[in-house]
Amino acid sequence: MAKREGRRRFGSIRKLPSGRFQIRYPGPDGRLRTGTTTYRTKTDADRALTLIEAQMISGEWTDPDRGKVRLADYARAWIKERPGLRPKTVELYTWLLERHIIPTLGDVAVGKLSAQAIRTWRADLLANGVSVSTAAKAYRLLRAILMTAVEEDQLIARNPCRIKGADNEHTPERPVLTVRQVFELADRMADKRFKALILLATFASLRWGEVIALRRSSIDLDARTVTIREQLLELDNGEMRLCPPKSRAGRRTVSIPAVIIPVLAEHLAAYVDEADDAFVFLGKRGAFLRGSNFRREARWAEALKEMGLQGLHFHDLRHTGNTLAAQSGASLADLKARMGHDSDRAALIYQHATRDADQRIADALSARVAAEQQKIADS
């Protein structure tokens, strides 16, 4: 029997009153789907059906009905269901989502998001005064959410976040203090309990949350090491929470330059309880250190102004320590191990083999500090 004209083996095409063409086709489950778009010509519609059939045969087809979920609903569930997110990361993701993503894209179905829509969204962020750094963070979050929609949930066939360079923050270079400036800053702290904090954070390359979470047992003056086992985070609601370090490599033991050991010994004797789990750095009233009460009690802004260093952040001390360590001749792997970064797996594998190299870093730092102090004494 001759095949009836217009009869297709897969799917069907019908002409709409508008003159455009619409497709219908059965999914793998036998249920009929209607195409999410219409076509100018019947030939275009026919090609679309051929492509859909090929995707089903190859296993690459994505059910368009699944992509109808609103981005806002999917993204909020994505954050809630991500395993292992740190509390501060959850706060950051939620803020980025509610402030910069949902207002523009939240009501759009995941399956309707296009590369053009993403480009327009990002351009509008920047045009409205959102910094490049914040826009990059928001873009990376959206890309990660939609990658899950592609790879795990199969809501869409391809991630529409394809803007080259949009994930780069282009953060300005942070200042690096000289050795003399580090010691001057430590001496200018209004409360002397913070002198050791400045020196240790700098020369052991510690993050704020790591240094304020240190216990007496974390510091071994004889071995000249500090061990980072946890970090203390201040959440947006004011809660102070002890958490694991930022990454697996964050759990580490770092060698301390010998030249600051006497300062640490004095601090432990004067300000820290004898118990092994006693916190090394607390406020005047024995409470956890927060960024606000540290800056107030140390008179941080006043010290910086007197030194002509306005705009210096506490994190710049870690940046300074990292820079000085790099200048000592340490390899990239040694530096990553010392800094607690695991972006390169080789750094993790090499971490256990860097004790001697790490000690050489500390010795080189100590020698440089001693030389600078001798210059000051001779001047």
Side-chain angles (χ1 to χ4, degrees):
M1 178 183 296
K3 183 178 179 181
R4 188 167 51 185
E5 186 177 355
R7 183 76 173 180
R8 289 184 49 86
R9 181 178 59 82
F10 175 80
S12 62
I13 301 172
R14 68 166 180 156
K15 191 173 184 178
L16 300 174
S18 64
R20 295 182 66 83
F21 293 85
Q22 184 183 64
I23 62 174
R24 297 191 74 196
Y25 57 91
D29 56 3
R31 184 167 60 87
L32 283 176
R33 269 80 168 174
T34 300
T36 56
T37 187
T38 59
Y39 303 90
R40 187 176 61 85
T41 67
K42 187 175 182 180
T43 299
D44 291 339
D46 185 79
R47 288 172 179 164
L49 282 172
T50 300
L51 177 60
I52 291 171
E53 183 181 21
Q55 290 173 336
M56 287 187 183
I57 293 172
S58 65
E60 297 176 355
W61 178 75
T62 300
D63 188 346
D65 288 345
R66 300 188 67 187
K68 291 180 179 179
V69 60
R70 294 169 62 247
L71 176 64
D73 298 330
Y74 185 77
R76 287 171 178 143
W78 186 91
I79 293 176
K80 184 178 180 180
E81 295 167 1
R82 285 303 91 187
L85 287 183
R86 311 287 183 187
K88 293 295 287 185
T89 302
V90 171
E91 288 186 341
L92 173 63
Y93 284 179
T94 301
W95 179 77
L96 289 170
L97 182 66
E98 301 294 341
R99 180 70 178 271
H100 296 301
I101 298 176
I102 284 180
T104 302
L105 301 174
D107 287 333
V108 180
V110 171
K112 290 289 188 179
L113 289 169
S114 64
Q116 178 60 57
I118 303 301
R119 285 195 297 270
T120 300
W121 161 74
R122 177 177 178 272
D124 287 346
L125 286 183
L126 297 173
N128 290 328
V130 175
S131 69
V132 172
S133 177
T134 298
K137 288 182 174 69
Y139 178 83
R140 288 200 302 268
L141 173 60
L142 180 59
R143 184 177 61 187
I145 291 169
L146 295 180
M147 188 56 67
T148 301
V150 174
E151 296 183 348
E152 296 181 21
D153 296 331
Q154 297 182 334
L155 302 186
I156 50 178
R158 189 180 183 190
N159 194 329
C161 291
R162 299 195 294 273
I163 307 173
K164 289 186 177 180
D167 57 345
N168 296 329
E169 296 191 32
H170 303 296
T171 53
E173 181 63 29
R174 297 304 306 166
V176 176
L177 302 183
T178 65
V179 169
R180 179 179 295 193
Q181 286 175 321
V182 173
F183 275 87
E184 180 180 350
L185 179 61
D187 285 334
R188 284 183 179 275
M189 294 293 96
D191 191 327
K192 295 308 176 185
R193 74 179 62 235
F194 300 132
K195 178 177 181 177
L197 183 148
I198 298 297
L199 297 179
L200 187 59
T202 303
F203 294 114
S205 296
L206 301 183
R207 301 176 176 91
W208 168 258
E210 294 172 344
V211 73
I212 63 172
L214 292 176
R215 317 288 188 117
R216 176 179 277 274
S217 61
S218 305
I219 298 177
D220 188 330
L221 297 179
D222 294 330
R224 292 192 288 121
T225 62
V226 56
T227 299
I228 296 87
R229 303 184 182 93
E230 55 192 348
Q231 62 174 333
L232 189 57
L233 301 178
E234 181 177 356
L235 304 184
D236 289 345
N237 62 6
E239 177 189 353
M240 299 293 288
R241 184 181 298 181
L242 282 167
C243 301
K246 193 172 183 179
S247 65
R248 288 184 300 166
R251 295 180 182 272
R252 65 199 188 278
T253 296
V254 177
S255 297
I256 306 170
V259 71
I260 70 170
I261 293 297
V263 178
L264 292 176
E266 291 175 8
H267 178 88
L268 290 172
Y271 301 109
V272 185
D273 291 341
E274 292 295 328
D276 285 345
D277 63 349
F279 286 92
V280 175
F281 299 109
L282 295 171
K284 286 182 178 180
R285 299 179 181 178
F288 284 137
L289 268 187
R290 301 172 183 267
S292 56
N293 64 0
F294 162 71
R295 289 189 293 272
R296 182 177 63 254
E297 294 177 14
R299 296 181 65 81
W300 174 262
E302 290 83 349
L304 296 183
K305 184 176 181 180
E306 291 167 359
M307 295 177 64
L309 297 174
Q310 288 176 282
L312 186 82
H313 300 162
F314 187 91
H315 192 75
D316 294 329
L317 300 179
R318 171 175 158 84
H319 179 54
T320 294
N322 293 339
T323 302
L324 293 174
Q327 292 172 349
S328 74
S331 70
L332 179 60
D334 294 338
L335 285 172
K336 285 185 177 180
R338 185 175 181 86
M339 293 156 52
H341 279 292
D342 63 357
S343 57
D344 189 336
R345 289 189 177 185
L348 284 176
I349 297 172
Y350 195 72
Q351 189 173 16
H352 296 294
T354 59
R355 291 267 50 86
D356 291 341
D358 194 45
Q359 191 63 58
R360 288 195 299 272
I361 293 173
D363 290 341
L365 287 172
S366 187
R368 180 166 180 175
V369 171
E372 291 286 342
Q373 288 179 326
Q374 187 61 48
K375 288 180 183 178
I376 295 173
D378 294 341
S379 60

